[in-house]
Amino acid sequence: MKKLVAVLLAGAMCFSLAACGSGTADETVTSDAEVAVEETTDETEAAEDETAAADTEEAADTAAAGEVTTATEGVLTMGTNAAFPPYEYYEGDAIVGIDAEVAQAIAEKLGLTLEIVDMDFGSIITAVQTGKVDVGIAGMTVEPDRLENVDFTDSYATGVQVVIVPEGSEIASVDDLEGKLIGVQESTTGWQYCTEDYGDENVIPYPNGATAVQALMDGKVDCVVIDQQPALSFVEANEGLTILDTEYAVEDYAIAVSKDNTGLKDAINTALNELIEDGTVQGILDKYISAE
Ligand code: ARG
């Protein structure tokens, strides 16, 4: 772990670090707003060191400066599972969506370059714990079991678990799920609630929401329990599906941070609350979620 003194509004630093990003893993993509150079040469490393030294001096003069440590200096590495529209999904090679934009806005406030790593949803908590990524931002619900392993920031959105069924299904409300075959995304809260309420034998986990919905289209399950916004996207993209009116659970989405990195959590909370107060977060939500 390298230390970085983050300076709010350090425009010069943003520029120099954007040029020194070091995304090398296949699944690492930069957000659409920033383009990080893939190779870090000795020359750019030297330049980075000089810039870091200059920024440290600058930071000492800045009252708002806080100490933020990230896995890769100058970079905020975000773990996500990009099969969850409109929170995170691919547009060409770029991962876009609500979480990508909220993360980008936070990274800018912290003077960091955002890099997004796509992984299985079930791997995100461990990746945060082990420092493979700095944050997990994936429409992730604050939930007691997860709180034992990671910390969560303040919430930035509300999630609702809903039920997708084929049009004309005999399942008319959540009360009719008993004894039905339920498709879910593995490791999610929907999977957790359904196994608790209806038993393991009635719940089939799929790698992600899209594969669960495909199984529903193929008649392999009777319904899919998933978060409302992805449900709306999937129903829009596939004919013959509908969402039940009754909600299964209401939850808070927040950002997972390592329990060992309270400095980062605090800095994100400060940035996030500014972005909530000035309407930036609502603007991003409105851009992707149309009012009913
Ligand atoms: N909100 C649910 C949970 O936290 C599902 C999140 C799935 N997110 C994703 N990017 N696939 O368990």
Side-chain angles (χ1 to χ4, degrees):
M1 300 269 268
K2 290 181 188 169
K3 279 214 161 165
L4 164 77
V5 178
V7 187
L8 297 178
L9 300 174
M13 188 168 84
C14 285
F15 174 77
S16 66
L17 291 174
C20 296
S22 55
T24 44
D26 283 346
E27 76 271 54
T28 304
V29 298
T30 52
S31 75
D32 53 349
E34 300 264 357
V35 178
V37 175
E38 295 293 312
E39 300 289 317
T40 306
T41 64
D42 288 348
E43 215 172 286
T44 55
E45 255 166 37
E48 190 179 4
D49 287 348
E50 267 169 44
T51 318
D55 288 330
T56 310
E57 277 165 36
E58 209 177 302
D61 299 338
T62 312
E67 267 209 354
V68 174
T69 307
T70 56
T72 303
E73 187 176 337
V75 176
L76 182 69
T77 308
M78 156 181 166
T80 199
N81 171 248
F84 198 70
Y87 281 87
E88 42 267 337
Y89 57 99
Y90 279 91
E91 222 168 63
D93 288 340
I95 294 173
V96 299
I98 295 167
D99 287 339
E101 291 206 23
V102 169
Q104 178 62 37
I106 290 171
E108 271 168 29
K109 277 203 182 268
L110 301 184
L112 301 169
T113 301
L114 179 67
E115 280 189 5
I116 305 179
V117 184
D118 190 14
M119 57 181 73
D120 288 342
F121 185 74
S123 303
I124 298 175
I125 297 278
T126 314
V128 171
Q129 275 184 301
T130 56
K132 184 181 180 219
V133 299
D134 300 306
V135 287
I137 316 184
M140 191 181 284
T141 304
V142 181
E143 185 273 329
D145 288 347
R146 292 176 185 161
L147 280 167
E148 284 182 16
N149 297 309
V150 291
D151 281 348
F152 279 97
T153 64
D154 296 334
S155 176
Y156 63 93
T158 301
V160 181
Q161 295 296 316
V162 298
V163 185
I164 308 178
V165 293
E167 274 166 12
S169 164
E170 60 179 37
I171 303 173
S173 88
V174 288
D175 302 330
D176 302 331
L177 291 182
E178 204 70 52
K180 294 287 186 300
L181 215 43
I182 306 169
V184 293
Q185 329 165 69
E186 65 189 357
S187 307
T188 63
T189 49
W191 171 73
Q192 189 183 317
Y193 306 147
C194 287
T195 49
E196 276 163 18
D197 291 350
Y198 304 104
D200 282 348
E201 66 281 13
N202 292 315
V203 181
I204 304 188
Y206 290 93
N208 57 54
T211 45
V213 169
Q214 189 54 51
L216 180 61
M217 300 287 289
D218 296 343
K220 292 182 179 145
V221 290
D222 298 313
C223 63
V224 166
V225 169
I226 191 169
D227 304 52
Q228 182 174 46
Q229 292 306 325
L232 287 165
S233 298
F234 291 133
V235 167
E236 204 181 337
N238 295 284
E239 250 171 62
L241 299 179
T242 183
I243 299 172
L244 298 186
D245 280 342
T246 43
E247 298 172 346
Y248 185 38
V250 179
E251 331 178 291
D252 287 327
Y253 290 168
I255 300 171
V257 187
S258 163
K259 283 185 183 291
D260 297 331
N261 202 348
T262 47
L264 179 61
K265 188 185 76 182
D266 293 346
I268 291 176
N269 270 334
T270 303
L272 181 60
N273 283 303
E274 284 169 16
L275 293 165
I276 290 172
E277 267 155 43
D278 73 6
T280 303
V281 169
Q282 192 57 52
I284 295 170
L285 289 167
D286 290 348
K287 176 175 161 188
Y288 288 93
I289 300 174
S290 51
E292 308 277 297

